Amino acid sequence: MYRAENIRVTAGAKVILDDVFLSLAPRKVVAIVGPNGAGKSTLLKVLAGERRYGHGTVTLDGAPLQHWDPAALARKRAVLPQSVVVAFPFFASEIVALGIPPYLARTEAARLVERALREVDMLSAREQSYDTLSGGERQRIQLARVLVQLWANGGQGYLLLDEPTASLDLPHKIATLRIAREHANAGGGVLAILHDINLALMVADELVAMRAGRVTAKGAPKDIVTSDLIHALYGVRAEIGAVPSGPFLLPQSIRG
């Protein structure tokens, strides 16, 4: 179990996160939604151990995050940031292999890299230079990297994904959601920041809605997603529809 309690983050006089609670359990997909500047990415960085916080606690499997050895933490959680800068012309397969721990046998490492490339539909680009790939292709390569990081350590653990579908075309958006869902079904946990409300509604067991550094609502999508919530988050009015699998937002219904 990942748990953040009473998290407060400031930058000078600006409050970025204020009294935030969030938990992430195995076999669950939690999606964070909210407008730009809501504190979503900062919260993910706090959970990842990449951002200091002034107040509160973050625990992983009951132990404070700061007590985790970096190597042990890397075996337990993998982080996909919004963007990754690569300064050298690595092959796509070499970028994926960065997620492989040094103690893994070479044959097993090669097998996992190939499996991950196939999973994200990038096997044909394995020997292509990373800097020649499109933005969406790079994003899929980075997703493959974090997958092998967890697969090399038992295949479970936690995926922390910051806008994993942002640069993707529709088929690969859906494929990324499927990968997240399958990881949770296999015993892992997934936290994903998603700007597309409908994608979040498709994949999430729990939705966490944030605005101005605070959690304004959280729960099962069917229980919390209303026209009032969309207005509170984004300042627009929209009708929320429903199908047997859950709610959806029809963009054509949005009005200022």
Side-chain angles (χ1 to χ4, degrees):
M1 173 74 77
Y2 241 122
R3 188 181 299 275
E5 300 180 275
N6 298 111
I7 298 300
R8 181 178 175 86
V9 174
T10 59
K14 181 178 176 60
V15 177
I16 300 174
L17 294 176
D18 188 16
D19 197 30
V20 171
F21 288 74
L22 184 142
S23 61
L24 176 62
R27 300 189 179 276
K28 298 294 183 183
V29 177
V30 175
I32 306 178
V33 299
N36 295 332
K40 304 182 298 296
S41 293
T42 299
L43 177 57
L44 186 144
K45 290 176 182 177
V46 167
L47 287 166
E50 298 174 356
R51 179 66 185 258
R52 292 177 179 271
Y53 49 95
H55 183 269
T57 59
V58 178
T59 57
L60 176 56
D61 292 346
L65 201 63
Q66 63 267 31
H67 293 175
W68 280 78
D69 174 78
L73 186 59
R75 291 191 291 270
K76 194 68 177 177
R77 65 96 181 96
V79 184
L80 180 64
Q82 286 185 30
S83 62
V84 179
V85 176
V86 176
F88 300 98
F90 291 110
F91 290 140
S93 59
E94 292 175 320
I95 296 294
V96 178
L98 293 175
I100 298 290
Y103 52 78
L104 202 68
R106 181 174 298 181
T107 54
E108 178 64 7
R111 185 187 70 81
L112 289 181
V113 168
E114 181 171 335
R115 175 188 167 192
L117 286 166
R118 183 178 292 107
E119 185 78 356
V120 301
D121 191 27
M122 288 294 290
L123 188 59
S124 63
R126 62 185 306 164
E127 295 185 2
Q128 187 171 341
S129 178
Y130 182 80
D131 60 8
T132 68
L133 299 175
S134 71
E137 289 171 330
R138 293 183 188 188
Q139 198 162 21
R140 285 149 57 197
I141 289 297
Q142 293 296 337
L143 176 59
R145 174 184 58 79
V146 298
L147 288 174
V148 300
Q149 181 180 330
L150 294 185
W151 290 350
N153 293 288
Q156 296 183 0
Y158 296 91
L159 284 172
L160 307 182
L161 310 175
D162 195 348
E163 299 188 35
T165 63
S167 300
L168 304 184
D169 57 29
L170 182 58
H172 292 108
K173 288 178 188 286
I174 302 304
T176 297
L177 297 185
R178 174 187 55 78
I179 289 168
R181 183 74 265 166
E182 289 177 353
H183 181 74
N185 291 346
V190 179
L191 180 70
I193 296 172
L194 294 167
H195 275 297
D196 188 316
I197 295 294
N198 285 318
L199 292 182
L201 295 176
M202 285 175 61
V203 73
D205 298 300
E206 180 179 73
L207 203 68
V208 176
M210 295 185 65
R211 181 175 178 81
R214 299 184 66 90
V215 173
T216 61
K218 61 181 174 180
K222 64 182 179 61
D223 294 333
I224 69 166
V225 176
T226 64
S227 296
D228 287 342
L229 177 64
I230 298 301
H231 184 255
L233 290 178
Y234 302 105
V236 298
R237 296 288 182 183
E239 296 178 11
I240 304 298
V243 292
S245 59
F248 67 90
L249 188 155
L250 189 64
Q252 288 85 347
S253 73
I254 293 176
R255 54 194 184 278

